[in-house]
Amino acid sequence: MTKQRLEIEKSNQQKPKPESDQIPFGSVFTDHMFVMDYDSAKGWYDPRIVPYEPLTLDPAAMIFHYGQTVFEGLKAYRGEGDRILLFRPEQNFARLNRSSERLSIPPINEEEVMDHLRELISLEKDWVPETKGTSLYIRPFIIATEPNLAVAPSKTYKLMIILSPVGSYFTGGLRPVTINVEDQFTRAVKGGTGMAKTAGNYSAAYQAQAKASQEGGAEVLWLDGVEKRFIEEVGSMNIFFKINGEVITPELSGSILKGITRMSIIELLQDWGIPVTERKISIDELYQAYEEGIVEEVFGTGTAAVISPVGEFNWLGKKMVINNHQIGDLSQKLYDTITGIQRGEVTDSYEWTVEVI
Amino acid sequence: MTKQRLEIEKSNQQKPKPESDQIPFGSVFTDHMFVMDYDSAKGWYDPRIVPYEPLTLDPAAMIFHYGQTVFEGLKAYRGEGDRILLFRPEQNFARLNRSSERLSIPPINEEEVMDHLRELISLEKDWVPETKGTSLYIRPFIIATEPNLAVAPSKTYKLMIILSPVGSYFTGGLRPVTINVEDQFTRAVKGGTGMAKTAGNYSAAYQAQAKASQEGGAEVLWLDGVEKRFIEEVGSMNIFFKINGEVITPELSGSILKGITRMSIIELLQDWGIPVTERKISIDELYQAYEEGIVEEVFGTGTAAVISPVGEFNWLGKKMVINNHQIGDLSQKLYDTITGIQRGEVTDSYEWTVEVI
Ligand SMILES: Cc1ncc(COP(=O)(O)O)c(C=O)c1O
Ligand SMILES: Cc1ncc(COP(=O)(O)O)c(C=O)c1O
C-alpha cells in the first residue's frame, strides 16, 4: 500500500495560549487537529490536518448508542534546545490497535499515523509548554460513525487526534494520596473490556470515584471482579508495591490495562537489579504485609502523573498508612528518571524517546 | 417546578416513507426529533422538537472519551381505528433514570419527557407503519457533552429522542434460532454496568457475537462473569426456560438488564396460573434437564422481537435441540397475547398500553 498524502488546511486564527503555570487540565485545545476516515470499501482514507473545529454527526451515529470507540493518551515534552520529544509513542499506537481489536474496530497503519502525528505536533510546536512538569497532551481516538441503530459493528469510523497543553499533575512536586479500596463496584472483569482503552470503562468508575471522595479518598483501588480480592489498578493507573525489598505489580489478568509507564518501570527496575515480580496480589496479602510492617512504598503509574505515591489506604474501615505518608526513595528515583528521560535530561539508553523536531 | 414549554420547529421537508414490507432496521429516521439540554446551573432546559438534523459537538465532548451515556428503546404501534399505542412507556423512562444513576447522569423528569414524547409522536403519526409486526421504534438517549478530557462526570448533557420505522423482526412469523453459549467473553459482572442500558455494554459484545456467527449461531448466551456458569441473557434479550412445567428466568443479579418484556411475561404467567420462578440457573443444570428430556421451551424476550424462540444451543461442542426446533405453545401464546395487547387487539386488563392519539 502506498502511503497516503497528508492534506493540511491551516487555521486562519491563532488562539491565545495559557500561561505555563495556569494551564487547566484537558479543556484548552490547540489550533489544529488530525482527522482520518474509514469505510469498509476504502479502508482508512483522507488523512488530514484541519483547524480544530466541532464535529458533525448524525444523531443515530453508532458511537452515541453502542459505545464502539477506543482512545489513547500520550504527551509531547519540551526538552533542552527546544527539542520536542515523545515517550514510546509506538507503544500507544500498538495499544490503540489492540483496543480496537477488542471493540471490533479496524486497525490503523501505526507507522503512517505516527508520521501524521509528527506533522501535527511540528505545526503546533509553539503549544508545547516549557515549564518543568508541563506538556502537550495528545489524545488519539476512534469513533463509530455509521448512522444505524442495529447492534453490530459500524461500517464507518473516524480517527481524530486532538492536542491539549497540560500543567503539572502535582503542583509543588510529588504528593502521596489516600486511596479507597472499592469493595462493591467493579471496573472490569476477565473476558470484558478492561484490557482495552475504551470509553465505557471510564464512566463505569464514576460512582466508585464519588464514593471514594465522600470518604476522603483521592482515588479508587480496584479489586478483581470475580473474587473481589486481587488488586488490579488504582483509578486510571497501574499500581506497584515495594514489600520487604521486592517490587510487586499485579499481573496482566485480562482486565488490567497494560500501561506503558508500568512496562517502563519494570524494565528500569530489572536494570537496576531491584527484584520485580508481576503476579497476583490480594488485598489480604497487602494487609498482612502491612501488619508485619514490611510494606515500604506503594505508587500508581501512568502517563498523567508518571508516579503517584500512595500515602494511605482505606479498606472496610481499616487504615493502612504507607511509609508514614512520605514519598519513598524508589518512587522519587523512578519519577526523576522517567521524567528526566522524557525531557531529554537523563541519558536515554533505552531509545524510548522519539524526537519530533 | 413549573412545566417547561415545549418549542416546536417544524421541518419544511418531508422525507419519503418506506413501504411497510421493506423497512430496513434502524437506518430510516423521521422528519423531527426531540432535544433537551442540561447544565449544572439550569438543570434540564429548553425542551424542543426540531427537524431531524446532524448534531454538532466539540471533539473533546466527553461522550467520545469516557462513554457517559444511557439509552432506551420502545415502540409505538398502530392499532384499530388509527389509534397509536405505546407499551408501558413509563417503565422505559424509569429505567432510563436508573441507568443514569449508575452512570452519574442527572435524572430527567419522567412525566414531562413522556408528555414531550407524546407530542413528538403526534407530529410524526404518519410515520407509524400499519402492517402487523411493524412499528415506530423510539430511541431516547442522553450523552455527556462537556468538552473536557478530565475523567469525571460531565457538567452538560443532551437528551434526544429519535424515531425510526421498523419492519417485522421475523419476516414470516416466529422462527426458532440457534444460540452459542459463550464461555470466554463476558458481557457484564456484578458491580459493573450490566443492569444499565449504556452504550459500552453493547459494543463489548461484538467479538462474542462474531464468534457465534462463525460457529453458526444467531445470538450469544451470556454466562455470569464470576463463575462462568449461571445463565444471564441471550444477545440483547432476557431469557426464559420452561422445564418440566415450570417457567424459570435468571434472577436480577445486578448484571442483567431488567427487561420490560420480561416483567410483563412474569405477570402474565402468574395470572395464567403457570408456575414462574426468578432464580439462578446454571448451564450445567440446563444441560442436565436437557439430558433428562424435560426442557420443553426456551425463548428470549425483548422489545425488538417480543418473543424469540430458541431452537438449539451450542455449548462447548455439545448440542441441545429444544422442542425439536419448533415454536412452543407457551412461546406462541405469550407472543400473541403481548403483541395483541400492544396493538390494542387483545383486552388490556393490565393498563399497559398508553394511547398517544
Ligand atoms: C485504566 C488505566 N490503567 C492504567 C493506565 C496507565 O497507562 P499508561 O502508563 O500507558 O499511561 C491508564 C492510562 O493511560 C489507564 O487508563
Ligand atoms: C441487554 C438487554 N437485555 C434485555 C433487553 C430486553 O429489555 P426490554 O424487554 O425492556 O426490551 C434489552 C433490550 O431492551 C437489552 O438491551
Side-chain angles (χ1 to χ4, degrees):
Chain A
M1 207 179 79
T2 55
K3 208 187 131 185
Q4 298 185 59
R5 203 169 150 250
L6 177 70
E7 295 287 337
I8 300 181
E9 181 199 334
K10 285 217 180 133
S11 172
N12 44 28
Q13 276 180 11
Q14 292 204 330
K15 298 184 224 173
K17 299 179 180 66
E19 295 296 324
S20 249
D21 57 347
Q22 293 172 3
I23 319 181
F25 181 82
S27 57
V28 174
F29 297 92
T30 68
D31 298 313
H32 300 87
M33 62 185 185
F34 172 78
V35 187
M36 192 167 181
D37 291 295
Y38 176 93
D39 79 27
S40 6
K42 284 191 266 191
W44 287 104
Y45 66 96
D46 236 359
R48 57 202 186 271
I49 289 172
V50 294
Y52 187 94
E53 67 193 0
L55 247 169
T56 301
L57 286 174
D58 195 285
M62 284 176 155
I63 173 65
F64 299 129
H65 304 274
Y66 307 125
Q68 206 192 0
T69 178
V70 293
F71 71 97
E72 269 305 323
L74 66 161
K75 287 174 169 180
Y77 307 89
R78 189 175 293 270
E80 302 261 301
D82 262 5
R83 294 191 302 153
I84 292 175
L85 301 170
L86 300 175
F87 185 73
R88 312 188 79 175
E90 71 290 349
Q91 294 289 348
N92 291 93
F93 289 110
R95 186 169 64 189
L96 187 70
N97 270 345
R98 287 201 304 276
S99 298
S100 286
E101 191 187 346
R102 180 62 186 86
L103 272 296
S104 302
I105 294 174
I108 55 161
N109 181 319
E110 298 167 26
E111 291 74 31
E112 265 187 45
V113 175
M114 181 64 218
D115 284 347
H116 300 324
L117 174 62
R118 294 172 91 114
E119 291 276 349
L120 177 65
I121 293 173
S122 306
L123 184 66
E124 300 291 61
K125 62 179 185 298
D126 295 342
W127 280 96
V128 185
E130 298 194 7
T131 316
K132 208 167 172 145
T134 66
S135 58
L136 184 67
Y137 184 79
I138 303 165
R139 169 58 56 89
F141 63 108
I142 301 177
I143 56 175
T145 53
E146 186 187 344
N148 197 321
L149 298 183
V151 184
S154 179
K155 292 195 189 69
T156 60
Y157 300 87
K158 208 178 259 300
L159 161 67
M160 306 182 72
I161 305 179
I162 57 177
L163 306 175
S164 173
V166 292
S168 184
Y169 194 83
F170 296 105
T171 35
L174 290 182
R175 188 168 33 80
V177 293
T178 294
I179 303 292
N180 234 49
V181 182
E182 176 56 47
D183 60 317
Q184 190 190 341
F185 291 109
T186 307
R187 192 194 86 94
V189 69
K190 205 176 158 175
T193 57
M195 32 58 70
K197 221 167 151 67
T198 183
N201 293 342
Y202 293 81
S203 49
Y206 292 166
Q207 278 205 313
Q209 180 63 45
K211 214 173 94 182
S213 303
Q214 267 167 24
E215 293 168 12
E219 297 272 3
V220 170
L221 184 77
W222 296 105
L223 302 180
D224 78 283
V226 174
E227 299 186 47
K228 281 286 171 203
R229 208 153 73 79
F230 295 105
I231 294 170
E232 298 224 313
E233 303 195 62
V234 53
S236 300
M237 289 184 279
N238 296 114
I239 189 162
F240 286 77
F241 303 91
K242 182 157 174 267
I243 300 178
N244 207 13
E246 184 197 5
V247 180
I248 300 158
T249 191
E251 67 188 21
L252 301 172
S253 58
S255 51
I256 295 177
L257 194 80
K258 189 177 172 188
I260 294 157
T261 320
R262 175 186 182 279
M263 193 187 302
S264 308
I265 286 172
I266 293 172
E267 288 182 57
L268 282 174
L269 292 175
Q270 284 168 340
D271 271 14
W272 294 348
I274 295 172
V276 52
T277 319
E278 297 176 67
R279 66 163 169 90
K280 284 194 176 183
I281 172 166
S282 72
I283 185 74
D284 316 80
E285 178 184 345
L286 177 68
Y287 193 73
Q288 204 187 314
Y290 171 73
E291 295 236 288
E292 290 172 25
I294 55 172
V295 179
E296 298 159 15
E297 299 184 31
V298 181
F299 52 90
T301 72
T303 298
V306 182
I307 298 285
S308 174
V310 175
E312 188 177 320
F313 287 106
N314 287 326
W315 177 46
L316 303 173
K318 287 179 265 198
K319 247 187 204 266
M320 298 181 234
V321 173
I322 310 298
N323 196 28
N324 201 19
H325 287 114
Q326 302 302 304
I327 300 155
D329 292 343
L330 184 64
S331 308
Q332 188 70 55
K333 186 175 171 193
L334 283 166
Y335 180 80
D336 293 341
T337 306
I338 295 179
T339 55
I341 292 175
Q342 285 170 338
R343 303 182 71 84
E345 289 158 4
V346 167
T347 315
D348 171 17
S349 48
Y350 305 93
E351 299 188 15
W352 282 342
T353 50
V354 171
E355 199 170 319
V356 178
I357 44 169
Chain B
M1 207 178 80
T2 55
K3 210 189 131 184
Q4 299 184 58
R5 208 175 145 247
L6 178 70
E7 296 286 338
I8 300 180
E9 181 200 333
K10 286 219 179 133
S11 172
N12 45 28
Q13 277 180 11
Q14 292 204 331
K15 298 183 225 174
K17 299 179 181 64
E19 296 297 323
S20 249
D21 57 347
Q22 293 172 4
I23 319 182
F25 181 82
S27 58
V28 173
F29 298 92
T30 68
D31 298 314
H32 300 87
M33 62 186 184
F34 173 77
V35 188
M36 191 168 183
D37 291 295
Y38 177 93
D39 78 30
S40 6
K42 286 189 265 189
W44 287 104
Y45 67 95
D46 237 0
R48 57 202 187 272
I49 289 172
V50 294
Y52 186 94
E53 65 194 1
L55 250 169
T56 300
L57 285 173
D58 195 285
M62 284 175 153
I63 173 65
F64 299 130
H65 303 275
Y66 307 126
Q68 206 191 1
T69 178
V70 293
F71 71 96
E72 268 305 324
L74 64 161
K75 288 174 168 179
Y77 308 88
R78 190 176 291 273
E80 301 261 300
D82 263 3
R83 294 191 303 153
I84 292 176
L85 301 170
L86 299 176
F87 185 74
R88 312 188 80 175
E90 71 289 350
Q91 294 288 348
N92 291 92
F93 289 110
R95 186 169 64 189
L96 188 70
N97 271 344
R98 288 201 304 276
S99 299
S100 286
E101 192 188 344
R102 180 63 186 85
L103 274 295
S104 302
I105 293 174
I108 55 162
N109 181 319
E110 297 168 27
E111 290 74 32
E112 266 188 44
V113 176
M114 181 65 218
D115 284 347
H116 300 323
L117 173 62
R118 294 171 91 113
E119 291 277 348
L120 178 65
I121 293 173
S122 306
L123 184 66
E124 301 290 63
K125 63 178 186 296
D126 295 341
W127 279 95
V128 184
E130 299 195 8
T131 317
K132 207 169 174 146
T134 67
S135 58
L136 184 66
Y137 183 78
I138 303 165
R139 168 59 56 90
F141 63 109
I142 302 178
I143 55 174
T145 54
E146 186 188 342
N148 197 321
L149 298 183
V151 184
S154 179
K155 293 195 190 68
T156 60
Y157 300 87
K158 209 177 260 299
L159 162 68
M160 307 181 72
I161 305 180
I162 57 178
L163 306 175
S164 174
V166 292
S168 184
Y169 194 84
F170 297 104
T171 35
L174 290 181
R175 187 168 33 81
V177 293
T178 294
I179 303 292
N180 234 49
V181 182
E182 176 56 48
D183 60 318
Q184 188 191 343
F185 290 110
T186 307
R187 190 193 89 93
V189 69
K190 206 175 158 180
T193 57
M195 32 58 71
K197 221 167 150 67
T198 184
N201 293 343
Y202 294 80
S203 49
Y206 291 166
Q207 278 204 312
Q209 179 63 47
K211 214 173 94 181
S213 303
Q214 266 166 24
E215 293 168 13
E219 297 273 2
V220 171
L221 184 78
W222 296 106
L223 302 179
D224 79 284
V226 173
E227 300 186 47
K228 283 283 171 207
R229 207 153 73 80
F230 295 105
I231 294 170
E232 298 223 313
E233 303 195 63
V234 54
S236 300
M237 290 185 279
N238 296 115
I239 188 161
F240 286 76
F241 303 90
K242 183 158 175 265
I243 300 179
N244 207 13
E246 184 198 5
V247 180
I248 300 159
T249 191
E251 66 188 21
L252 301 171
S253 57
S255 50
I256 295 177
L257 194 81
K258 189 177 173 188
I260 294 158
T261 320
R262 174 186 183 279
M263 194 187 304
S264 309
I265 286 172
I266 293 172
E267 289 181 57
L268 283 174
L269 293 175
Q270 284 168 341
D271 270 15
W272 293 348
I274 296 172
V276 53
T277 319
E278 297 176 66
R279 66 163 169 91
K280 285 194 174 183
I281 173 166
S282 71
I283 184 74
D284 315 81
E285 179 184 344
L286 177 68
Y287 194 73
Q288 203 187 316
Y290 172 73
E291 296 236 287
E292 289 171 26
I294 55 174
V295 179
E296 298 159 15
E297 297 184 32
V298 181
F299 51 90
T301 72
T303 298
V306 183
I307 298 284
S308 173
V310 175
E312 187 177 321
F313 287 107
N314 287 327
W315 176 46
L316 303 173
K318 286 178 268 199
K319 247 185 203 255
M320 297 182 237
V321 174
I322 309 297
N323 196 29
N324 202 20
H325 288 113
Q326 302 302 304
I327 300 155
D329 291 343
L330 184 63
S331 308
Q332 187 71 53
K333 186 175 171 192
L334 283 165
Y335 180 81
D336 292 342
T337 307
I338 295 180
T339 55
I341 292 175
Q342 285 170 339
R343 304 183 71 84
E345 291 158 3
V346 167
T347 315
D348 172 18
S349 48
Y350 304 94
E351 299 187 16
W352 282 342
T353 50
V354 171
E355 199 169 320
V356 179
I357 45 170

